[in-house]
Amino acid sequence: MLQKKILVPVGSSGRDLSSVHYALALAERLRAQVYILRHDAVEITPHSLGNLLDEALRDLINSARQAGLSVSHHIAHRELKEEIVDLVKDEGIDVVVFGADNGACEHLMLQIKDLVPSQIIHVREKDHISYL
């Protein structure tokens, strides 16, 4: 049996970390590999939200790796939709987990839903999850 693969696109909102937490918990149960895709357009200055998000993301990745999970961190340099579709196809991603970031995530999910064969999970609020 092939190892499952989970992709988590991360935007500039701190709410995106809920999707990373969800994906890591799912990966632990399934013994899946996690791909975190971060868009490079996030402005990072010493005291910006982007910098805090980056630090929190690094801590999550390091903790997951110490727990034995396989986690890779990718930077998207093109439009996020294109990067997601290409990564899903190139790596054979089984599940894409989106977080909540003021509607931008929902718009992106609708754009890629028919372009990828993966299951899409939308993590909105604590204990509120949608399966598409």
Side-chain angles (χ1 to χ4, degrees), residues 95-112:
V95 179
V96 182
V97 178
F98 283 97
D101 64 357
N102 300 327
C105 156
E106 290 178 25
H107 179 69
L108 185 58
M109 282 189 316
L110 291 174
Q111 287 182 331
I112 70 158

Side-chain angles (χ1 to χ4, degrees), residues 26 41 46 66-67 110:
L26 182 61
Q66 288 174 354
L110 291 174

Side-chain angles (χ1 to χ4, degrees), residues 45-112:
T45 60
H47 300 289
S48 71
L49 179 60
N51 191 45
L52 296 174
L53 180 63
D54 196 48
E55 287 179 31
L57 192 55
R58 250 192 319 261
D59 288 343
L60 282 172
I61 291 169
N62 288 336
S63 295
R65 287 177 178 162
Q66 288 174 354
L69 292 176
S70 175
V71 181
S72 59
H73 186 201
H74 303 265
I75 305 296
H77 299 287
R78 298 177 293 148
E79 185 181 336
L80 197 53
K81 172 187 159 187
E82 294 173 15
E83 295 275 3
I84 292 169
V85 171
D86 287 349
L87 195 56
V88 165
K89 290 179 180 177
D90 292 345
E91 297 296 330
I93 302 292
D94 302 294
V95 179
V96 182
V97 178
F98 283 97
D101 64 357
N102 300 327
C105 156
E106 290 178 25
H107 179 69
L108 185 58
M109 282 189 316
L110 291 174
Q111 287 182 331
I112 70 158

